[in-house]
Amino acid sequence: MASTEPWLMENGSVKVLSKEIRHGRTAHNMSSSSLRKKSDLTLVSKIRFPCLRRCLANIQEVILGTKLSVLFPAIPLAIIGQCFGFAEPWVFALSLLGLTPLAERVSFLTEQIAFYTGPTVGGLLNATCGNATELIIAIFALYERKIDVVKYSLLGSILSNLLLVLGTSLFCGGIANLRKEQKYDRKQADVNSLLLLLALLCHMLPLLFKYAAASSDITAKATLQLSRASSIVMLIGYIAYLVFQLWTHREFFEAQEDSEDDDDVTEETPVIGFWSGFAWLVGMTAIIALLSEFVVGTIEDASNSWGISVSFISIILLPIVGNAAEHAGAIIFAFKNKLDISLGVALGSATQIAVFVVPLCVIISWIMGITMDLNFNLLETGSLALAIIATAFTLQDGTSHYMKGFVLLLCYFVIGACFFVSNRPLDSDQNGVKMGLQSSTGTVLRA
């Protein structure tokens, strides 16, 4: 049986928490864990020198303890390519491949640290590092004043989670469980849907505000101020969401296993020490920052070389490759008829990006003196609105079948095709962005 401890009092009685919750393990952690493999430390244990033995054991657990370890050579190759002047499209591709295992390892390290810090700190750490790759890429793009890349990449992460990851999970889970009725807890989906609708409102108002005015030049400053105020509101909403998730309504977000699997579950223990995990986490974050700088610096050359628009690369390719490990884990759990975990990954990531990463980027750009608002343009905002509405309708009854996932996938393919044929170049004015909106009379309005 899974070991338990009475930690919390609920309604006057002792509430028992599983080990997953004690260690701050969320759907994100469990999703990434599906790609991990158990390390064989037989040879390492025979080394006589304790320091060397611990060092090699840590390397084996962190570097070789994942099925994605085959992609780690892409990291030094990307660095070598950047230093020795390789073609920039190659540097871009190698950097993207290198980011894939790093994102999964960050999830692993936060889980290891959570063994020592407890569930609350572990949950906060996971909430902070859950989308570290997207945030770091966005910060470097802000520094380079590539505001379009920031907006495209964050929008793409939301769309890929809502339509691609969730759609694939529901479709594959429905196909694999044709003779079973797939059910999930609607309470978590309802909370995430509400927050996504809040984010959509904050995105739509600056866009509508711009169209409602006679001249965009008049509303430019007001739109920026509205965006910054809306960003503060979304960050307050995200803090309330963390309190709701980690304290007051923790049971809504518990990553529960099936009861028939409980007899086979053994108590998990950390495989690396606290300070080792912290050092590895800092090192991995630094490497992610380095590769993110390569990605931002070479994305335009890759676009020109491959004949693909920057919008398509940022909205479609970056999210798919950067979060491949987490996405694959969500699909694997859907095959096992554990949709609560799959929904926790897809909706949780989309919510975190929409109400935390996006407004945080607006605030950071404000601090850096760079103009970034929440006006993502008509096409992008329309795609976001339709994705959120389609997802909300899909999850309204608490049951699933493969047709729901199939429709979400079709929506994603149509949106992807739209940005594939769109070839709007990156803008380069002094504010980092030039929003060109073609009116019915042919007049170009610029903010």
Side-chain angles (χ1 to χ4, degrees), residues 23-310:
H23 297 148
R25 202 174 190 193
T26 64
H28 291 266
N29 297 119
M30 297 189 69
S31 172
S32 297
S33 68
S34 62
L35 294 175
R36 296 170 195 165
K37 59 182 180 180
K38 189 175 182 179
S39 300
D40 186 2
L41 300 177
T42 304
L43 293 178
V44 175
S45 62
K46 296 180 180 180
I47 298 177
R48 299 176 58 183
F49 304 100
C51 292
L52 180 60
R53 183 170 63 247
R54 287 195 296 269
C55 181
L56 292 178
N58 277 348
I59 293 175
Q60 184 164 346
E61 291 288 356
V62 176
I63 303 299
L64 302 178
T66 173
K67 298 174 183 177
L68 299 174
S69 58
V70 67
L71 297 178
F72 273 115
I75 298 174
L77 288 177
I79 297 174
I80 293 172
Q82 180 70 15
C83 294
F84 290 92
F86 287 10
E88 294 195 339
W90 280 102
V91 177
F92 177 81
L94 290 171
S95 299
L96 270 186
L97 290 176
L99 287 172
T100 302
L102 288 175
E104 188 274 334
R105 290 289 84 185
V106 166
S107 175
F108 164 76
L109 292 170
T110 56
E111 183 180 344
Q112 292 297 304
I113 294 175
F115 276 101
Y116 303 96
T117 60
T120 301
V121 177
L124 289 172
L125 185 62
N126 182 73
T128 304
C129 300
N131 289 286
T133 303
E134 291 91 340
L135 181 59
I136 293 173
I137 290 177
I139 292 175
F140 273 102
L142 281 175
Y143 181 77
E144 296 287 337
R145 295 179 179 267
K146 296 181 179 179
I147 309 300
D148 282 343
V149 174
V150 178
K151 293 183 176 182
Y152 286 150
S153 62
L154 296 180
L155 172 67
S157 294
I158 299 173
L159 293 178
S160 68
N161 277 293
L162 293 181
L163 300 180
L164 179 63
V165 180
L166 183 59
T168 307
S169 298
L170 296 182
F171 178 75
C172 294
I175 294 295
N177 300 275
L178 279 174
R179 301 186 181 278
K180 296 180 182 178
E181 183 180 15
Q182 289 195 290
K183 294 183 178 180
Y184 52 85
D185 191 349
R186 282 184 53 195
K187 293 190 288 290
Q188 179 184 170
D190 290 343
V191 173
N192 285 290
S193 296
L194 285 173
L195 287 170
L196 288 170
L197 288 173
L198 168 65
L200 177 60
L201 175 66
C202 293
H203 281 284
M204 290 190 67
L205 288 180
L207 179 66
L208 298 175
F209 190 65
K210 182 175 183 177
Y211 274 109
S215 172
S216 61
D217 295 330
I218 299 176
T219 61
K221 183 177 180 180
T223 300
L224 181 61
Q225 292 173 342
L226 175 61
S227 298
R228 289 169 176 174
S230 299
S231 297
I232 294 174
V233 170
M234 283 193 285
L235 289 176
I236 294 174
Y238 183 71
I239 294 173
Y241 171 66
L242 289 181
V243 174
F244 185 85
Q245 180 183 20
L246 299 176
W247 281 284
T248 63
H249 291 71
R250 182 195 297 269
E251 66 277 5
F252 286 7
F253 301 88
E254 290 180 353
Q256 298 289 347
E257 295 283 357
D258 288 345
S259 57
E260 59 266 22
D261 296 335
D262 287 346
D263 293 335
D264 300 327
V265 176
T266 58
E267 176 67 24
E268 293 189 24
T269 57
V271 295
I272 59 176
F274 172 79
W275 290 111
S276 296
F278 183 78
W280 276 106
L281 182 61
V282 172
M284 292 281 184
T285 305
I287 297 174
I288 289 176
L290 180 63
L291 295 184
S292 299
E293 184 179 8
F294 294 167
V295 167
V296 172
T298 58
I299 187 171
E300 293 179 76
D301 293 291
S303 172
N304 296 330
S305 176
W306 297 341
I308 304 175
S309 65
V310 173

